[in-house]
Amino acid sequence: MSVRVRYAPSPTGLQHIGGVRTAIFNYFFAKANKGQFILRIEDTDQTRSTPEAMQDIYNTFAWLGIHWDEGPDVGGPKGPYVQSQRFDVYKQYAQQLLETGHAYKCFCTSERLAELREEQTKTKSALGYDRKCRLLAAEERQKLEDAGTPYVIRFAIPLEGATAFHDEILGDISKENIDINPDPVIIKTDGFPTYHLANVIDDHLMEITHVMRSQEWISSGPLHILLYKAFEWEPPKFCHLPMVMGEDGQKLSKRHGSTSAIEFRQKGYLAEAVLNYITLLGWSYDDSREFFTKQELEELFTMDKLSKSSAVFNYQKLDWFNGQYIRRMSADELAAGITPWLAKEGFVADPPTAEQAGIIQQIIPLVQERLIVFSDVAGLAGFIFRDVAIEDPETLIPKKTDKATTVKILQKLKEIVPGLAGKSHDEIEAIFREDAEKLEVKLGALLMPLRVAITGSTQSPPLIDSMHILGTEKTLERIEKAIALLS
Ligand code: GLU
């Protein structure tokens, strides 16, 4: 039987790293087994589902290059793939459960349920439905039905025995039926299904072979197994993935930093790096290898390399990964990567003019070793494109010197800069050294005012290269401005 897996998000918010990882694992598992990967939208909770969240699903996975074989946008033989378009299907199956005695109508009002809960809280007894309507006499039920009393449909959990299933990661799991949430609602008053019913029916009808989802669903496992049994269906294999945590051991959330994939895109991370890093959250190929292309993962991914314990999302590690991916790019790839970020700042046109494209090519060697994310380019190389504003003139003055010496240094620089054009890196350095000696300052003290004058910052890409790109005229202009600031 060919592998069929699905990612089943509820479109209620932006795609969280945890969900994205679930999707990615399902995708790689399908690819590695020459199976199918399906996108199914679980929007049974209509009040929480939004079109924006739906769009974010499409945007996120298009960015990461993850494509499904079947889904709402691409169609497929088992559609529709949006649960809100399948309500008739669920009703029909709920009816079947009513007829076989695995489900019953519950007429309890929300007031009664609230009172019950209050009572249970007061007496410190277990919370949950007391199965009142399961025990209704036939004629009483009939009377309520005839009166058109609103009802929900509840699944009748067996009162005895235990339910077991095998998890591909966690092994055998078993729960006493009496410990399962008493008789969960499967169809709500408005006729809409709940997650459990729709999820099980769809996994069956869509012929899903492996359910790979977050460990937060493990407690629903026994209930789902009971639903499969009630329908007399063969359950799929289950594989509950370890959770993604922040470094403090808490579930990854906004407190830790960005949590939605799209935020990483907006910050200038590379899709390839994000995809690679997320794959390592709970999966490893061996003890050492960390870099994988998407294509490699499509071949190498296996379920037995999934970890049992939770994964930690380390923001520094992702930054390092992203930096490594940037270092490996060709000049043209990097130019294409940073251009939109320069355009966003208004530094270049989009697309850049021929002259701007030339400057972009020149700054590549300056920034390639230093960028963590594409958006850093504005801070690193912005001085090439716009005038700099030195916010604090004191930053021009090197340590252990004073204003007067700094002005002297800058004046000396003004003299020598025109003669540097066309000289090699080593020659220029030698000239700087000689002049520093003449002025009786260290080389660093000579270069700092120059650096701040031309870049506006005490930290910059390599100075001589920066000066080259900026050109003699602009360099001189900026030195003069700096002198004026100190005078
Ligand atoms: N709609 C559920 C969720 O968000 C899917 C759980 C499952 O995969 O069964 O997360």
Side-chain angles (χ1 to χ4, degrees):
M1 190 172 44
S2 113
V3 161
R4 286 176 62 82
V5 288
R6 74 339 186 246
Y7 176 50
S10 301
T12 56
L14 297 178
Q15 285 293 295
H16 189 274
I17 291 297
V20 172
R21 189 204 49 174
T22 300
I24 289 174
F25 285 176
N26 275 287
Y27 169 82
F28 286 138
F29 183 67
K31 286 283 166 206
N33 289 284
K34 314 240 174 307
Q36 268 92 50
F37 173 55
I38 293 141
L39 175 72
R40 182 175 73 228
I41 302 300
E42 300 209 326
D43 60 346
T44 50
D45 188 347
Q46 294 269 286
T47 55
R48 293 180 58 226
S49 302
T50 67
E52 293 77 23
M54 195 61 214
Q55 193 53 49
D56 181 61
I57 295 172
Y58 291 133
N59 294 347
T60 297
F61 294 105
W63 178 56
L64 293 170
I66 300 291
H67 304 289
W68 30 87
D69 303 293
E70 297 170 30
D73 51 343
V74 295
K78 309 285 177 193
Y81 294 92
V82 177
Q83 289 190 326
S84 56
Q85 293 166 19
R86 302 171 62 81
F87 284 173
D88 288 345
V89 177
Y90 311 129
K91 263 193 206 152
Q92 178 197 324
Y93 281 100
Q95 188 58 35
Q96 182 183 323
L97 290 180
L98 282 175
E99 282 160 17
T100 53
H102 288 102
Y104 60 91
K105 292 180 182 172
C106 169
F107 302 92
C108 291
T109 59
S110 46
E111 289 77 27
R112 172 169 193 270
L113 296 176
E115 272 167 32
L116 177 66
R117 197 183 169 82
E118 210 175 296
E119 184 61 28
Q120 287 168 337
T121 315
K122 224 191 288 164
T123 56
K124 294 201 168 59
S125 29
L127 298 181
Y129 184 55
D130 61 358
R131 299 186 159 116
K132 177 171 182 248
C133 290
R134 184 164 169 174
L135 309 167
L136 278 184
E139 59 276 17
E140 213 172 328
R141 177 170 301 141
Q142 196 58 53
K143 234 199 275 163
L144 285 161
E145 257 180 61
D146 292 347
T149 317
Y151 63 87
V152 299
I153 300 179
R154 290 184 185 272
F155 182 61
I157 303 274
L159 303 175
E160 285 163 3
T163 301
F165 70 99
H166 180 79
D167 186 272
E168 300 296 310
I169 299 185
L170 302 167
D172 291 332
I173 296 193
S174 171
K175 199 168 185 171
E176 292 297 320
N177 290 336
I178 205 71
D179 293 333
I180 299 176
N181 174 24
D183 299 359
V185 173
I186 52 175
I187 297 275
K188 295 184 276 187
T189 329
D190 54 12
F192 290 2
T194 58
Y195 156 73
H196 301 294
L197 181 74
N199 185 274
V200 164
I201 292 174
D202 285 349
D203 281 343
H204 172 74
L205 295 180
M206 294 178 183
E207 296 177 7
I208 299 304
T209 56
H210 299 72
V211 166
M212 216 188 292
R213 63 184 169 199
S214 156
Q215 244 176 50
E216 66 190 308
W217 296 106
I218 191 112
S219 58
S220 303
L223 167 61
H224 292 187
I225 295 291
L226 286 171
L227 281 162
Y228 283 103
K229 273 197 190 148
F231 284 121
E232 296 179 12
W233 293 337
E234 187 69 34
K237 287 198 158 77
F238 288 96
C239 173
H240 287 91
L241 302 165
M243 306 282 287
V244 181
M245 304 296 194
E247 282 184 273
D248 57 359
Q250 303 291 315
K251 200 174 156 188
L252 188 70
S253 73
K254 287 258 171 289
R255 278 184 306 118
H256 299 104
S258 301
T259 53
S260 56
I262 222 69
E263 282 174 89
F264 291 101
R265 178 188 192 172
Q266 286 157 354
K267 286 184 173 168
Y269 284 82
L270 270 162
E272 293 83 348
V274 172
L275 186 78
N276 190 157
Y277 180 63
I278 291 182
T279 307
L280 301 178
L281 297 171
W283 182 86
S284 58
Y285 178 64
D286 56 24
D287 288 341
S288 53
R289 185 168 169 192
E290 290 189 305
F291 287 91
F292 300 91
T293 63
K294 181 166 150 263
Q295 224 172 350
E296 286 167 339
L297 291 163
E298 288 177 7
E299 284 162 25
L300 295 175
F301 187 89
T302 53
M303 222 184 236
D304 60 342
K305 300 272 173 63
L306 285 167
S307 153
K308 271 193 180 50
S309 43
S310 52
V312 175
F313 191 92
N314 181 325
Y315 288 88
Q316 290 81 29
K317 185 75 193 261
L318 173 62
D319 282 353
W320 177 81
F321 246 96
N322 206 70
Q324 292 301 311
Y325 267 83
I326 289 179
R327 315 286 173 264
R328 293 165 182 213
M329 291 177 103
S330 70
D332 285 343
E333 284 168 342
L334 187 51
I338 59 174
T339 297
W341 295 94
L342 293 169
K344 206 165 142 186
E345 297 289 333
F347 293 159
V348 299
D350 194 7
T353 63
E355 192 196 340
Q356 290 167 342
I359 298 176
I360 293 173
Q361 283 297 335
Q362 282 182 290
I363 65 171
I364 295 292
L366 256 62
V367 298
Q368 185 148 25
E369 291 302 313
R370 289 174 175 72
L371 289 174
I372 292 174
V373 289
F374 285 155
S375 51
D376 291 343
V377 74
L380 271 176
F383 70 91
I384 307 270
F385 300 93
R386 58 161 154 71
D387 285 341
V388 300
I390 299 165
E391 275 163 31
D392 177 8
E394 293 289 320
T395 55
L396 284 160
I397 306 172
K399 277 197 201 103
K400 296 191 195 146
T401 60
D402 52 23
K403 211 185 211 180
T405 315
T406 310
V407 172
K408 244 194 263 164
I409 293 172
L410 285 164
Q411 256 149 2
K412 183 81 196 164
L413 287 163
K414 217 174 97 182
E415 269 170 46
I416 59 178
V417 162
L420 301 179
K423 291 218 159 43
S424 76
H425 204 282
D426 288 350
E427 285 168 328
I428 295 175
E429 208 177 296
I431 295 172
F432 280 155
R433 251 177 226 291
E434 217 173 280
D435 284 298
E437 244 166 68
K438 276 190 217 151
L439 287 164
E440 293 177 356
V441 294
K442 291 219 164 93
L443 179 63
L446 179 92
L447 298 185
M448 186 53 87
L450 179 60
R451 186 185 303 280
V452 177
I454 68 173
T455 70
S457 162
T458 53
Q459 274 156 3
S460 77
L463 192 55
I464 296 173
D465 299 322
S466 302
M467 227 167 48
H468 264 319
I469 302 174
L470 200 58
T472 306
E473 202 181 316
K474 276 197 185 150
T475 305
L476 286 175
E477 251 171 49
R478 291 186 189 184
I479 292 174
E480 262 173 54
K481 245 174 133 183
I483 295 172
L485 259 181
L486 292 176
S487 310

